[in-house]
Amino acid sequence: MQTKFIFVTGGVVSSLGKGITAASLGRLLKCRGLRVFNQKFDPYINVDPGTMNPYQHGEVFVTDDGAETDLDLGHYERFTDENLTQACNVTSGRVYKTVIERERRGEYLGATIQVIPHITNEIKRNILLISRQQDPPDVVITEIGGTVGDIESLPFMEAIRQMRSEVGFENSLYIHVTLVPFLSASGELKSKPTQNSVKELQGIGISPDILVCRCDHPLPEDLRSKIGLYCNLRPDRIFENRNARSIYEVPLLLHKEGLDNKVCELLSLPVGNCNLSEWETMVDRQLHPVKDVTIALVGKYVELHDAYLSIVEALTHGGIASQAEVHIRWIQSADVSAENVAEKLDGCDGVLVPGGFGTRGLEGKMVAVQYARENNIPFLGICLGMQMAVIEFARHVLHLSDADTTETNPHTNHPVITLMEGQDLENLGHTMRLGKYRCDLTPGTFSYRAYGKQTISERHRHRYEFNNDYRERFTKAGMVIAGVNPDRNLVEIVEIPEHPWFVAVQFHPELKSRPNRPHPLFRDFVAASIAHKETDRHADPAAEKQA
């Protein structure tokens, strides 16, 4: 079967949920037995989001092949359970960089380089790249970032307009996600923003085949007919996308609306049964928890929750496994001190210290690690969180008072965390240990029991490593090296076995967690936190009575 192409655009305002819509459609088509790949095209000029401030862009999602990509790729992977690649996230910066490099090499034979055809051809080449691989997917869903009318997204819009002529009407589909706001003053939904958005899209030569209307209230049939009349669409191509209780409920709601049926009909895809039973069970477990647990997330970007989006979702997945609701207490690490840490973490059943870069908030992270270690609170450290756990242990157990990382203190006498060989600090973009690396686990450890096997692979994004010169000192003092990369003899996981649950990892396990397949470390961390809460409750009769 020839690959089909679906293009998802957005109108009226940003943050409408194009990514969730594209991911949900991917899930629905996959549940019909189709192989689906999602792409995100971002109009910004950065080559990739790797050097962007998390407060501006949110988290950087890393793929197996080491691409630093937009956070929407995390949604795509979690919903479709496909491991995406570098080809699945393309920016304006990357497109222009490629075209300019080719021009410099003389590959255009002296031609004047223009947006049309050179930039648009490069965009189309990236769209088609996935369909030309050895095992092409049945469907490629390409989301165009930004909002219709943005000047920077015009080359992408022009490229997807041209795509229809090249692949054919029967192999392409345009889905436009738009807003139908409710005005409380008049007590009604308003269609004018959607009409204007579609008019803007038609003005650049694209007529949407399907509208997905974001709304807070049910979309009545007469309003669908009105939108269809003004947008040249039959009402059966206009779909309601109301606010859901969980993002994982969205595929179920869109299936109930019939979106996947209509997509299959318009693209002549097999219309077989859509088996959503596993997904329905997972959503039911999430929406009807029987327990709850509070996890402290001690980070430096907590004011923007999207900076830790995959971690939040992985905690949610861990909660689903125990049918528990996970409450996150967002704690700014720069505000944590030895004097207030007990107050900050009071009532928390687990402590998670995530990754990050720079010096701000490091001492606060270490104080939180020390409190969790000394008070037997389940702890999970990720990337920088693992490095802080190592430094904290060195200072307070090994009594190496100035132990530190050379990232922030190059003159320390005890560089327990140091720069690995071959790292480039002049060019920050794409110069870290990135992507999938193998890790061999030590039998009998928390991690070995969680994974249930000895060899795993996980995704990385960092420059600094555990200093092997200190490995023997740590192990003699009670810290177990629970995971090692055998190719370069790099420490990947450290644990404290006498602790109820203390695991710190150099990689980013959150990137591989799925709602229907929680990551083993997050699953066991949440379970350990629930057990800690239950133990505390039984130890405090007053708390048990109140509960």
Side-chain angles (χ1 to χ4, degrees), residues 17-27 38 40 59 61 69-82 84 143 247-248 251 279 306 309-310 312-313 317 459 510-511 513-515:
K18 296 192 307 296
I20 298 297
T21 300
S24 297
L25 179 58
R27 178 81 237 174
N38 287 70
K40 174 73 181 291
E59 76 169 8
F61 189 86
T69 72
D70 183 79
L71 57 79
D72 272 325
L73 264 73
H75 289 311
Y76 301 158
E77 286 206 359
R78 287 187 284 271
F79 277 70
T80 65
D81 205 13
E82 291 281 353
L84 302 182
E143 176 194 349
I247 59 171
Y248 301 119
W279 199 263
D306 273 1
L309 182 58
S310 288
V312 172
E313 294 306 313
H317 306 160
R459 299 175 186 178
E510 71 275 15
L511 300 177
S513 188
R514 308 287 184 259

Side-chain angles (χ1 to χ4, degrees), residues 82-99:
E82 291 281 353
N83 291 326
L84 302 182
T85 68
Q86 176 77 60
C88 296
N89 190 203
V90 179
T91 69
S92 285
R94 185 168 142 201
V95 169
Y96 278 87
K97 182 173 181 285
T98 300
V99 170

Side-chain angles (χ1 to χ4, degrees), residues 19-295:
I20 298 297
T21 300
S24 297
L25 179 58
R27 178 81 237 174
L28 294 174
L29 296 179
K30 183 167 183 179
C31 285
R32 292 176 176 274
L34 297 167
R35 185 157 184 258
V36 182
F37 258 54
N38 287 70
Q39 278 184 312
K40 174 73 181 291
F41 279 42
D42 278 308
Y44 50 74
I45 307 298
N46 305 68
V47 174
D48 60 42
T51 57
M52 295 173 72
N53 189 322
Y55 281 125
Q56 288 195 23
H57 188 265
E59 76 169 8
V60 172
F61 189 86
V62 178
T63 58
D64 276 352
D65 62 353
E68 294 176 285
T69 72
D70 183 79
L71 57 79
D72 272 325
L73 264 73
H75 289 311
Y76 301 158
E77 286 206 359
R78 287 187 284 271
F79 277 70
T80 65
D81 205 13
E82 291 281 353
N83 291 326
L84 302 182
T85 68
Q86 176 77 60
C88 296
N89 190 203
V90 179
T91 69
S92 285
R94 185 168 142 201
V95 169
Y96 278 87
K97 182 173 181 285
T98 300
V99 170
I100 290 169
E101 287 174 347
R102 287 178 178 169
E103 186 273 334
R104 292 289 82 188
R105 292 194 298 266
E107 292 183 19
Y108 295 114
L109 304 178
T112 300
I113 307 304
Q114 297 176 294
V115 172
I116 303 172
H118 301 94
I119 298 299
T120 51
N121 282 350
E122 176 61 15
I123 293 169
K124 288 186 291 183
R125 186 186 72 82
N126 280 280
I127 295 172
L128 292 166
L129 205 57
I130 296 174
S131 66
R132 290 171 177 168
Q133 60 190 21
Q134 190 171 7
D135 183 22
D138 301 309
V139 181
V140 175
I141 302 174
T142 303
E143 176 194 349
I144 307 298
T147 307
V148 171
D150 295 345
I151 190 169
E152 60 265 29
S153 65
L154 285 175
F156 291 98
M157 295 298 183
E158 172 61 18
I160 66 172
R161 183 196 69 78
Q162 295 176 17
M163 281 290 294
R164 172 152 277 180
S165 298
E166 297 189 15
V167 301
F169 275 72
E170 70 280 6
N171 296 315
S172 59
L173 191 73
Y174 298 118
I175 297 179
H176 192 51
V177 181
T178 184
L179 178 68
V180 181
F182 180 82
L183 297 188
S184 56
S186 61
E188 59 184 347
L189 291 163
K190 289 293 185 180
S191 64
K192 187 65 72 176
T194 291
Q195 295 173 39
N196 288 336
S197 180
V198 171
K199 182 179 178 182
E200 182 93 32
L201 193 60
Q202 291 170 334
I204 56 180
I206 298 173
S207 291
D209 301 296
I210 286 174
L211 288 182
V212 174
C213 299
R214 294 283 286 113
C215 49
D216 295 326
H217 294 73
L219 197 65
E221 289 302 321
D222 61 336
L223 191 60
R224 292 189 200 227
S225 297
K226 180 181 178 181
I227 292 172
L229 178 65
Y230 284 99
C231 298
N232 292 333
L233 285 172
R234 297 204 308 258
D236 66 351
R237 295 192 183 192
I238 299 167
F239 296 91
E240 170 190 296
N241 186 6
R242 239 189 306 170
N243 292 344
R245 293 169 292 178
S246 157
I247 59 171
Y248 301 119
E249 190 182 21
V250 175
L252 304 179
L253 297 177
L254 291 177
H255 175 67
K256 187 177 179 181
E257 278 280 296
L259 175 64
D260 49 320
N261 276 329
K262 181 57 66 174
V263 167
C264 289
E265 175 192 323
L266 294 176
L267 288 175
S268 300
L269 289 165
V271 185
N273 291 330
C274 184
N275 184 2
L276 286 165
S277 57
E278 181 189 8
W279 199 263
E280 288 169 341
T281 300
M282 177 272 294
V283 171
D284 183 67
R285 288 176 65 86
Q286 182 192 9
L287 297 180
H288 301 96
V290 296
K291 306 172 186 175
D292 72 291
V293 66
T294 300
I295 304 294

Side-chain angles (χ1 to χ4, degrees), residues 295-516:
I295 304 294
L297 196 157
V298 186
K300 61 186 292 186
Y301 311 116
V302 294
E303 289 81 7
L304 180 67
H305 295 180
D306 273 1
Y308 301 111
L309 182 58
S310 288
I311 287 177
V312 172
E313 294 306 313
L315 287 171
T316 298
H317 306 160
I320 291 171
S322 293
Q323 205 165 353
E325 183 176 4
V326 177
H327 305 284
I328 297 176
R329 183 180 298 178
W330 298 90
I331 299 176
Q332 171 55 253
S333 59
D335 297 337
V336 178
S337 65
E339 292 71 33
N340 67 15
V341 64
E343 178 187 352
K344 294 279 188 184
L345 298 180
D346 182 45
C348 292
D349 310 303
V351 176
L352 189 153
V353 176
F357 296 91
T359 60
R360 183 173 64 87
L362 292 190
E363 291 298 324
K365 289 187 176 188
M366 268 187 278
V367 169
V369 174
Q370 182 180 5
Y371 188 85
R373 180 179 61 80
E374 293 179 347
N375 290 276
N376 290 326
I377 301 172
F379 171 78
L380 177 59
I382 296 173
C383 199
L384 182 63
M386 177 263 206
Q387 296 174 7
M388 293 303 100
V390 168
I391 295 169
E392 188 280 322
F393 193 90
R395 290 182 182 181
H396 301 115
V397 179
L398 298 181
H399 305 295
L400 306 176
S401 59
D402 74 332
D404 217 329
T405 168
T406 56
E407 180 178 12
T408 59
N409 182 9
H411 306 298
T412 176
N413 291 318
H414 295 290
V416 293
I417 301 295
T418 189
L419 194 68
M420 64 183 184
E421 275 186 57
Q423 278 301 299
D424 175 9
L425 292 181
E426 292 184 10
N427 298 300
L428 298 181
H430 213 273
T431 58
M432 297 176 276
R433 184 150 73 107
L434 286 164
K436 183 173 71 172
Y437 285 83
R438 176 181 160 184
C439 175
D440 288 347
L441 302 179
T442 303
T445 58
F446 293 119
S447 301
Y448 183 86
R449 291 194 292 270
Y451 284 96
K453 55 185 177 181
Q454 190 157 2
T455 299
I456 61 167
S457 66
E458 292 284 2
R459 299 175 186 178
H460 293 248
R461 183 176 182 251
H462 63 96
R463 290 187 180 86
Y464 291 79
E465 303 280 357
F466 184 101
N467 189 340
N468 282 328
D469 292 343
Y470 289 85
R471 188 185 290 193
E472 187 176 350
R473 290 201 221 184
F474 276 87
T475 56
K476 282 184 177 179
M479 180 172 274
V480 170
I481 307 302
V484 175
N485 171 253
D487 303 315
R488 303 174 70 175
N489 194 30
L490 298 173
V491 173
E492 301 277 33
I493 308 174
V494 297
E495 298 181 1
I496 299 177
E498 287 75 23
H499 195 279
W501 206 90
F502 190 104
V503 178
V505 300
Q506 184 67 84
F507 47 80
H508 287 270
E510 71 275 15
L511 300 177
K512 294 179 71 173
S513 188
R514 308 287 184 259
N516 54 337

